[in-house]
Amino acid sequence: MTAMQTVAVVTGAARGFGREIARRLVARGHRVVITDLDASAVDTAAAELGATGIVADARLAADHDRVAAEAAGLGTVGVWVNNAGVLRAGKVWEQDAADIALMVDANLNGVIHGSRAAIGVLRGRGGHLLNIASMSAHGPVPGLAVYAATKSAVLNFSVSLQGDLDLEGIPVRVHALCPDAADTTMVRAEQGSSDTAILHSQKALLTPDAVADAAVAMLDGDRLVRSLPAYRAALARTGAVLPRVGLPVLARMRAQGERRRVAGS
């Protein structure tokens, strides 16, 4: 799509994937609005990128509505990226209830509320809604069960949402990107936990640049779901379709990842 100074919104964009996605959207000529909870980080990122920064909590429907209204005040909104999310590693029976609620609220409810707000400003002229899911959306991820559950829900929600939009004739195209583990602050913050071992089972973590490139490229077409890298998605789906086969494989991958995690800590 041609930017033509259309407005693009990126949530959770003070750092990581969101910041790099916003950077590319600015380069494409969009007027970009970034959101995050950390006011100082929002100001810094907005100044660096040449974007408009808004402090907002992705967990709150009212904040998404406020962002949508402010974005629409800047021009025609053509792109909305639900990127905000959190990761807390751990076995569910050991995790704090607050951490579980945080992941569900930020990763899933944030995408649902963000999508509702996005459709409100996109539906008139059409546009693109991009939800950042995860490779963990495709199958079981021991050590990250709650996180994986939220991302699986994001993927299913995104595909179902596209079906609803198509049935209603609303010209909004939904995209869901499912990247593997990447070298971000969010992942590094949890690297000390052995429950993140499977994240390190690939030879190298993805870079935020690679994920951002893939994300923005999706806006040029109609592709609904993309996994990065694709071969890892096939492995992940095995665990979901054939758990008796997949779970032992995941255990071996986890052991391999643990060696790499410890070496990189």
Side-chain angles (χ1 to χ4, degrees):
M1 67 183 289
T2 303
M4 295 174 56
Q5 279 297 301
T6 55
V7 178
V9 176
V10 187
T11 71
R15 56 183 63 83
F17 296 162
R19 189 166 181 160
E20 295 309 315
I21 291 169
R23 190 188 310 281
R24 284 151 178 78
L25 291 173
V26 169
R28 284 185 165 215
H30 290 279
R31 187 165 188 176
V32 176
V33 174
I34 65 170
T35 77
D36 216 304
L37 265 177
D38 186 331
S40 176
V42 168
D43 289 344
T44 299
E48 178 198 336
L49 297 170
T52 298
I54 299 175
V55 177
D57 188 337
R59 296 171 292 179
L60 303 178
D63 275 20
H64 285 290
D65 291 340
R66 174 170 55 84
V67 170
E70 293 190 38
L74 298 174
T76 300
V77 181
V79 173
W80 186 294
V81 182
N82 286 314
N83 166 75
V86 296
L87 168 67
R88 296 290 186 270
K91 303 170 186 66
V92 67
W93 61 88
E94 296 176 348
Q95 288 185 302
D96 290 339
D99 281 341
I100 292 171
L102 176 62
M103 283 188 281
V104 172
D105 284 342
N107 298 352
L108 176 55
N109 292 336
V111 168
I112 293 172
H113 295 318
S115 296
R116 290 176 65 248
I119 291 166
V121 292
L122 292 172
R123 63 184 300 166
R125 296 195 180 186
H128 293 261
L129 169 61
L130 171 61
N131 294 329
I132 305 300
S134 165
M135 187 64 68
S136 64
H138 294 303
V141 189
L144 301 171
V146 175
Y147 177 81
T150 64
K151 293 300 187 176
S152 180
V154 166
L155 178 57
N156 199 328
F157 169 75
S158 299
V159 177
S160 300
L161 176 60
Q162 185 65 72
D164 284 338
L165 292 166
D166 290 346
L167 288 170
E168 294 298 317
I170 298 173
V172 174
R173 189 63 188 173
V174 181
H175 312 276
L177 180 64
C178 301
D180 212 333
D183 187 11
T184 62
T185 301
M186 184 174 75
V187 170
R188 287 195 296 271
E190 295 293 307
Q191 189 170 348
S193 169
S194 62
D195 287 310
T196 66
I198 201 164
L199 296 180
H200 302 276
S201 59
Q202 55 183 320
K203 290 183 179 179
L205 296 176
L206 295 175
T207 65
D209 283 340
V211 175
D213 285 342
V216 174
M218 293 189 80
L219 303 177
D220 292 327
D222 293 332
R223 186 168 182 176
L224 181 50
V225 179
R226 180 180 179 186
S227 301
L228 189 71
Y231 81 92
R232 292 272 289 185
L235 291 173
R237 291 190 193 102
T238 300
V241 177
L242 298 169
R244 281 191 152 184
V245 174
L247 289 175
V249 171
L250 289 172
R252 290 193 292 273
M253 290 172 63
R254 178 186 169 94
Q256 182 182 59
E258 177 64 5
R259 291 191 292 272
R260 289 177 176 150
R261 183 194 70 83
V262 171
S265 296

